[in-house]
C-alpha cells in the first residue's frame, strides 16, 4: 500500500489522476527522438515563436565513452548553449539548469560556460538563481556541487523588461524522478513565473 501511495503521489505531482493514471492537465505533447543539436539545426525556422525552453545539458561524465578531453567538452558545452540561443526566436525565454562539477581539483562552473556561450548571441540574462539540495555546512565529498545554477535568458527582448524574474533567488530542489532531473519544487516555481510573465 505504501508503494502504491508513493506512485500515486508521483503521478499527481505531474498532473495525473492518481486513480486512473491519466493526465488531467490538458494540452498535448510531441516527443522528438533525435540528437537535440541536429534537430535544432535541421529546423528551417528554428524554435517556435511562442515557446519557452527549459534544458539541462550533458555533463562531462556523460562523454567518457567518447574519450573527450575536458577542454573539448567545455567547447562543446559553450557551443551547444550558443546554438540553442541562436535558434530561439526574439523574445524566447531559455532556462538552463546546470550543476557544477569538480575535475582534478578544478571547480568547473557550468553557469560560466553557459554564459560564455549565449553571450555570442543577442540576449539578456533575466535571472540567476540557486537550487539547493542536501544539508548545509557539510564538507563536499562528491565530484558535483550540492547546488544547481538556474539561469534564464531572453533572446533579443521585444518587450520592455519591467518585471524582474520573481523566481526565488534561493530555492529547494524537491523530489526528483530521475537522478539528473530537475526537482519538482524547483520546476513548479519556474512554471508559476512563466505563467505570470507569459500569460
Amino acid at each position: 500500500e505504501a508503494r502504491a501511495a508513493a506512485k500515486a503521489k508521483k503521478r499527481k505531482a505531474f498532473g495525473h489522476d492518481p486513480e486512473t493514471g491519466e493526465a488531467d492537465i490538458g494540452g498535448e505533447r510531441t516527443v522528438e527522438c533525435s540528437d537535440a543539436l541536429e534537430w535544432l539545426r535541421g529546423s528551417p525556422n528554428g524554435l517556435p515563436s511562442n515557446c519557452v525552453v527549459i534544458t539541462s545539458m550533458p555533463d562531462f561524465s556523460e562523454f567518457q565513452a567518447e574519450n573527450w578531453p575536458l577542454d573539448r567538452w567545455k567547447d562543446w558545452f559553450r557551443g551547444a548553449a550558443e546554438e540553442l540561443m541562436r535558434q530561439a526566436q526574439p523574445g524566447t525565454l531559455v532556462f538552463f539548469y546546470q550543476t557544477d562539477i569538480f575535475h582534478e581539483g578544478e571547480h568547473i562552473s557550468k553557469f560560466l560556460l553557459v554564459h560564455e556561450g549565449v553571450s555570442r548571441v543577442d540576449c539578456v540574462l533575466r535571472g540567476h538563481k540557486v537550487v539547493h539540495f542536501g544539508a548545509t555546512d557539510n564538507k563536499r565529498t562528491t565530484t558535483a556541487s550540492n547546488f544547481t545554477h538556474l539561469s534564464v535568458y531572453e533572446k533579443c527582448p521585444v518587450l520592455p523588461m519591467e518585471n524582474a524574474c520573481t523566481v526565488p533567488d534561493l530555492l529547494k530542489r524537491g523530489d526528483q524522478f530521475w537522478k539528473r532531473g530537475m526537482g519538482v519544487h524547483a520546476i513548479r516555481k519556474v512554471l508559476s513565473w512563466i505563467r505570470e510573465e507569459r500569460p
Side-chain angles (χ1 to χ4, degrees):
E1 292 181 1
R3 188 177 299 173
K7 289 183 178 179
K9 181 181 178 181
K10 288 184 178 182
R11 288 196 297 267
K12 188 175 181 181
F14 281 98
H16 287 73
D17 185 298
E19 297 297 328
T20 66
E22 296 181 357
D24 59 6
I25 56 176
E28 61 182 45
R29 178 177 66 172
T30 300
V31 178
E32 299 285 350
C33 297
S34 61
D35 181 279
L37 291 178
E38 291 179 2
W39 180 82
L40 280 171
R41 294 171 182 138
S43 300
N45 300 313
L47 292 169
S49 59
N50 62 343
C51 76
V52 172
V53 178
I54 303 174
T55 187
S56 181
M57 298 190 298
D59 184 71
F60 177 55
S61 63
E62 298 176 71
F63 283 74
Q64 294 306 299
E66 307 293 334
N67 200 29
W68 280 17
L70 180 64
D71 285 343
R72 182 177 178 185
W73 170 79
K74 286 181 178 180
D75 288 341
W76 177 91
F77 199 93
R78 295 185 190 97
E82 175 187 2
E83 185 67 22
L84 176 54
M85 190 61 68
R86 197 172 295 283
Q87 294 293 337
Q89 302 298 323
T92 297
L93 295 172
V94 181
F95 289 82
F96 292 92
Y97 185 80
Q98 306 293 163
T99 303
D100 290 353
I101 59 173
F102 303 87
H103 181 74
E104 297 180 353
E106 179 185 357
H107 181 139
I108 300 167
S109 171
K110 291 184 185 175
F111 169 73
L112 177 61
L113 296 177
V114 165
H115 193 73
E116 289 174 343
V118 301
S119 293
R120 301 167 184 166
V121 183
D122 183 8
C123 65
V124 172
L125 176 63
R126 293 290 306 272
H128 180 196
K129 314 298 180 175
V130 173
V131 180
H132 186 264
F133 50 93
T136 59
D137 295 331
N138 288 347
K139 289 184 177 180
R140 181 184 58 79
T141 58
T142 65
T143 57
S145 62
N146 288 325
F147 68 91
T148 298
H149 298 278
L150 175 63
S151 55
V152 54
Y153 294 83
E154 183 170 352
K155 168 79 175 287
C156 304
V158 294
L159 298 174
M161 294 184 295
E162 299 176 353
N163 300 321
C165 177
T166 58
V167 174
D169 292 329
L170 178 64
L171 63 161
K172 62 182 180 181
R173 182 182 65 189
D175 292 337
Q176 288 177 293
F177 295 94
W178 180 54
K179 68 177 182 178
R180 295 186 184 275
M182 194 170 182
V184 173
H185 179 78
I187 192 62
R188 281 177 171 166
K189 291 293 185 181
V190 168
L191 294 177
S192 293
W193 179 70
I194 291 172
R195 290 191 187 100
E196 295 174 1
E197 181 75 4
R198 302 292 164 85

